[in-house]
Amino acid sequence: MELRKLEAVEKHMSKCADARKLGDWKAALMEADATIVSGADFSPHLGMCKVEALLKLHRLDDAQSNLLEVPKAEPFPAHCSFSGIACEAYTYFVKAQIEMALGRFENAVMAAEKASKIDPRSNEVAMLHNTVTLVARARVRGNDLYKSERYTEASSAYAEGLRLDPCNAILYCNRAACWFKLGMWERSVEDCNQALRFQPRYTKPLLRRAACNNKMERWAAVVSDYEALRKELPHDKEVAESLFHAQVALKKSRGEEVLNMEFGGEVEEVYSREQFKAAMNLPGVSVIHFSTVSDHQCKQLSPFVDSLCTRYPSIHFLKVDIDKCPSIGNAENVRVVPTVKIYKNGTRVKEIVCPSKEVLEYSVRHYSG
């Protein structure tokens, strides 16, 4: 039984190394997992191979989380190698690539130097060390030129770095900043798209792309970018306000009425019938949360309504305590709390009794468009 396990480990390990050499990263990832399942469950180099494969597949978040789970072997066994690289050197080899992808170029250089010292005979390690060093220099040169407002030269420096590391999201984002300063919005958007292709949750290129689309008055694209940013930065007031102004501009471009639309941010408490009627007649969408202080479900839903108010700044959010204002509750025929009603341009379009958070957000998102 032990012999069969060892044979399975050896078979999958060999396939993993072959896939890595061919650049077949999906197969390398699959075979690394198969090797670990077969019994090699305390192998640092297999763990690092998974990290490298995830990085090459542009799954940076997964690569980082897997890096934290790689087993530690101190000291590394003598003469241990993987895919032609000494195992200890391979761990630094992969770490250098991770640091590069994250834009921590100085750390990447140090990791590559350690890999070179541990395994000076590996051509693959030597090539990475050279590449990392040159890319880091190009990035420093680009940054210095950018600070000196020599944007065309800075873009060329970043391009030199990208020639050596064509999947580096940070360098694409930096070059996009140069194009933006030069008023070349389309080229800036293209580089932001490339940065997001390699790091989908990277907020800087999203912000830059939104700014470029704003300059070109592509309001639907601006709204889309700021909505994506709201998911990544839910408590950022500047992003919330930018989203609101983009939504107003989009409505204007479609010929919709935008009179008296103001940036929100807080749930407005309603104290009188007059205040309630005035709120109902506001242009756009209004969401009213009917509740009581004593109800447990209302207490649970209320903070969530507050968070929706921040995330959907173009919508008016109001709350009515039907114990304090029974006349409004009676007029609106509210018998059960919590109840949420959604109005659009003075007309009720939705009523939800005891809504779940998922249903409520779906409805708010649906009517916010």
Side-chain angles (χ1 to χ4, degrees):
M1 188 184 294
E2 291 302 313
L3 180 60
R4 283 197 296 272
K5 283 172 67 176
L6 184 58
E7 286 170 345
V9 165
E10 193 169 16
K11 180 185 75 172
H12 289 300
M13 178 87 82
S14 177
K15 286 184 177 180
C16 179
D18 289 344
R20 184 187 173 277
K21 286 177 182 176
L22 293 169
D24 185 350
W25 297 106
K26 286 184 179 178
L29 183 60
M30 182 178 72
E31 293 298 339
D33 277 329
T35 312
I36 292 166
V37 169
S38 297
D41 55 356
F42 196 82
S43 171
H45 51 280
L46 279 172
M48 295 308 285
C49 184
K50 283 184 64 177
V51 171
E52 186 181 24
L54 289 164
L55 182 64
K56 297 293 187 181
L57 292 167
H58 312 308
R59 293 167 57 185
L60 183 58
D61 288 347
D62 291 336
Q64 285 181 275
S65 60
N66 272 262
L67 183 62
L68 299 173
E69 297 170 8
V70 174
K72 303 287 189 294
E74 295 177 357
F76 269 81
H79 311 299
C80 169
S81 67
F82 174 70
S83 194
I85 305 174
C87 286
E88 187 176 6
Y90 182 60
T91 63
Y92 288 108
F93 176 87
V94 176
K95 283 178 182 177
Q97 295 177 70
I98 286 274
E99 297 290 3
M100 279 272 284
L102 292 169
R104 300 195 290 244
F105 296 91
E106 294 81 5
N107 292 355
V109 171
M110 287 191 289
E113 283 175 352
K114 283 185 180 178
S116 291
K117 286 177 183 175
I118 295 165
D119 191 350
R121 292 177 294 180
S122 169
N123 288 332
E124 196 174 357
V125 169
M127 284 175 61
L128 179 75
H129 184 199
N130 184 56
T131 298
V132 168
T133 303
L134 292 174
V135 171
R137 285 177 188 166
R139 181 254 194 167
V140 168
R141 190 166 64 254
N143 287 359
D144 289 342
L145 289 163
Y146 184 88
K147 288 172 187 173
S148 301
E149 299 184 7
R150 294 157 66 183
Y151 303 120
T152 303
E153 293 169 80
S155 70
S156 298
Y158 294 132
E160 180 60 25
L162 285 166
R163 186 181 66 78
L164 296 162
D165 187 13
C167 299
N168 196 291
I170 280 73
L171 293 178
Y172 276 115
C173 187
N174 288 359
R175 192 171 67 173
C178 297
W179 301 138
F180 184 84
K181 289 290 188 180
L182 292 165
M184 301 170 74
W185 324 123
E186 289 286 7
R187 294 189 76 170
S188 187
V189 166
E190 286 170 13
D191 274 357
C192 290
N193 290 342
Q194 285 290 80
L196 290 164
R197 177 186 163 205
F198 299 122
Q199 289 192 37
R201 297 180 63 186
Y202 187 15
T203 55
K204 274 190 177 179
L206 268 175
L207 281 164
R208 195 149 285 139
R209 190 171 69 182
C212 290
N213 284 321
N214 194 308
K215 292 285 187 182
M216 294 184 285
E217 298 186 358
R218 294 174 178 170
W219 304 119
V222 178
V223 168
S224 176
D225 281 339
Y226 279 122
E227 284 177 341
L229 282 161
R230 290 298 291 147
K231 291 177 184 176
E232 298 298 324
L233 305 167
H235 305 297
D236 191 307
K237 289 289 179 70
E238 285 187 25
V239 169
E241 190 161 1
S242 296
L243 171 59
F244 168 75
H245 291 304
Q247 289 170 329
V248 171
L250 178 60
K251 289 178 183 293
K252 279 184 180 178
S253 71
R254 292 172 173 171
E256 296 179 30
E257 189 177 338
V258 294
L259 294 174
N260 300 319
M261 284 189 70
E262 296 179 2
F263 176 64
E266 292 184 1
V267 178
E268 179 185 350
E269 188 161 2
V270 176
Y271 296 102
S272 67
R273 288 287 301 277
E274 293 71 23
Q275 186 186 357
F276 183 79
K277 286 178 180 177
M280 293 306 93
N281 291 320
L282 288 170
V285 178
S286 299
V287 175
I288 303 94
H289 174 211
F290 295 91
S291 64
T292 62
V293 173
S294 58
D295 186 83
H296 178 67
Q297 277 187 284
C298 293
K299 286 179 181 177
Q300 288 187 318
L301 190 63
S302 188
F304 184 69
V305 174
D306 291 342
S307 72
L308 290 178
C309 181
T310 306
R311 293 210 300 277
Y312 297 90
S314 65
I315 292 179
H316 308 287
F317 284 85
L318 305 102
K319 57 185 174 183
V320 178
D321 186 326
I322 61 170
D323 285 343
K324 292 180 183 177
C325 304
S327 60
I328 298 176
N330 291 332
E332 289 294 306
N333 199 28
V334 175
R335 296 288 177 262
V336 179
V337 290
T339 289
V340 174
K341 296 189 180 188
I342 302 176
Y343 285 76
K344 191 163 188 176
N345 298 323
T347 303
R348 191 176 70 204
V349 292
K350 184 85 172 179
E351 179 173 345
I352 323 166
V353 178
C354 299
S356 67
K357 293 178 181 179
E358 293 76 15
V359 168
L360 178 54
E361 179 155 18
Y362 173 82
S363 300
V364 168
R365 187 167 61 245
H366 175 74
Y367 289 106
S368 69

